[in-house]
Amino acid sequence: MTATMAPDIRDLHTPEAAIRRFAQLVRTGEVDPPTGEPRLGIDLGTANIVVSVVDARDRPVAGGWLHSTVVRDGVVVDWAGATSAVRRLTGDVEARLGHHFTSASVSIPPGISEGDIRVFRNVAGAAGLDVAEVVDEPVAAARALGITDGCVIDIGHGTTGVSILAGGEVLSSVDEATGGHHMTLVLAGAYGIGYDEAEAMKKDPARRDDVVGVIRPTLEKMATIAQAALRGHDVPMVYLVGGSSSFPNAPDVFAARLGRPVVRPVEPLFVTPLGIPFSPAVVTGSTRGSRQPERNR
């Protein structure tokens, strides 16, 4: 068990501090001793699978991730790969924590079909875990951010998800198949290179200036998706999360299109995974089995 001295709870009293600590735990493999029973979350993303562990106070305890292509446009396309990855990551955090998990919360992109939701559930089940809760990705992000009002836009590798919250309830959720994958395709076409080379270029900080201008139209398309989802809703703030929102010009592109303040929290890739196992009381009306929001695809 790789353990560290648990940060004083005062050190994690803000969402930003908790998100930053969770990112550090994932990257280093460190573990913070939990207070109370730890809870497990699973994020089956298009580019990465992330597992998160929080304690009874919703403080980050541990995490793990690996690159994966088992999900495409919100659909599990590699059942065996997804199950194997969840088993591997869960076993790793169990070994580091010295704790065996029998259940987990699972995130899903908003707007997917009930059949696809069952597949996400079944992946966890095949990995030996009961499903404690199924959480929309933007709702998980809202929990980690500690918000009950506003709009959460989650830009993943395959999709852009938009959820609108008011008074702690989810009013609507929209998901469209535009994300980091499409940025990579645009880069590959613009520079006449292969997909893998374009993906590496996109992630290389030294090539950032070569990337941001080329991918701007893709960001603007994502912002247009959000603009349509926001039509008729007066939201005070927009929160931008997901790994593909990390580019320096992303908040400005969305703010210009939406005409609203746009906040991108620290470590946007890890916001959604952290919130998956959070206590559901933070955002009501957002869990499966409760009142369902209007959904579009």
Side-chain angles (χ1 to χ4, degrees), residues 210-281:
D210 299 326
V211 171
V212 291
V214 176
I215 65 166
R216 184 182 180 96
T218 309
L219 284 170
E220 289 176 342
K221 181 179 179 182
M222 296 170 181
T224 300
I225 292 169
Q227 183 182 38
L230 280 165
R231 194 166 292 125
H233 298 281
D234 183 17
V235 300
M237 187 71 70
V238 174
Y239 299 86
L240 197 58
V241 302
S244 295
S245 72
S246 300
F247 296 96
N249 59 337
D252 289 341
V253 169
F254 275 81
R257 176 71 65 176
L258 301 179
R260 294 173 171 87
V262 174
V263 174
R264 181 183 57 204
V266 64
E267 299 282 5
L269 173 63
F270 294 105
V271 175
T272 296
L274 174 59
I276 294 168
F278 266 37
S279 304

Side-chain angles (χ1 to χ4, degrees), residues 151-169:
C151 172
V152 176
I153 302 172
D154 190 342
I155 306 176
H157 190 66
T159 63
T160 295
V162 184
S163 283
I164 299 167
L165 304 97
E169 294 207 356

Side-chain angles (χ1 to χ4, degrees), residues 54-240:
V54 302
D55 67 10
R57 297 180 179 179
D58 287 337
R59 292 186 298 171
V61 169
W65 67 337
L66 57 82
H67 178 70
S68 176
T69 56
V70 300
V71 174
R72 186 177 303 139
D73 295 339
V75 177
V76 176
V77 295
D78 181 356
W79 167 270
T83 302
S84 175
V86 170
R87 278 204 197 99
R88 173 181 166 187
L89 288 169
T90 301
D92 179 60
V93 295
E94 286 180 335
R96 285 186 278 130
L97 274 169
H99 177 87
H100 176 64
F101 291 99
T102 59
S103 65
S105 296
V106 179
S107 69
I108 58 165
I112 66 173
S113 71
E114 290 300 322
D116 288 328
I117 292 170
R118 283 194 296 273
V119 174
F120 277 75
R121 282 181 171 274
N122 291 341
V123 166
L129 297 162
D130 294 330
V131 177
E133 184 186 16
V134 178
V135 189
D136 286 344
E137 290 169 354
V139 170
R143 292 178 178 178
L145 294 169
I147 63 171
T148 57
D149 296 273
C151 172
V152 176
I153 302 172
D154 190 342
I155 306 176
H157 190 66
T159 63
T160 295
V162 184
S163 283
I164 299 167
L165 304 97
E169 294 207 356
V170 180
L171 301 181
S172 66
S173 292
V174 175
D175 194 53
E176 297 289 345
T178 301
H181 165 67
H182 303 83
M183 295 176 178
T184 304
L185 291 175
V186 168
L187 284 171
Y191 285 95
I193 56 179
Y195 184 91
D196 290 344
E197 185 179 351
E199 181 73 7
M201 177 183 177
K202 185 181 70 176
K203 296 178 179 179
D204 184 355
R207 302 295 303 276
R208 190 55 53 88
D209 290 343
D210 299 326
V211 171
V212 291
V214 176
I215 65 166
R216 184 182 180 96
T218 309
L219 284 170
E220 289 176 342
K221 181 179 179 182
M222 296 170 181
T224 300
I225 292 169
Q227 183 182 38
L230 280 165
R231 194 166 292 125
H233 298 281
D234 183 17
V235 300
M237 187 71 70
V238 174
Y239 299 86
L240 197 58

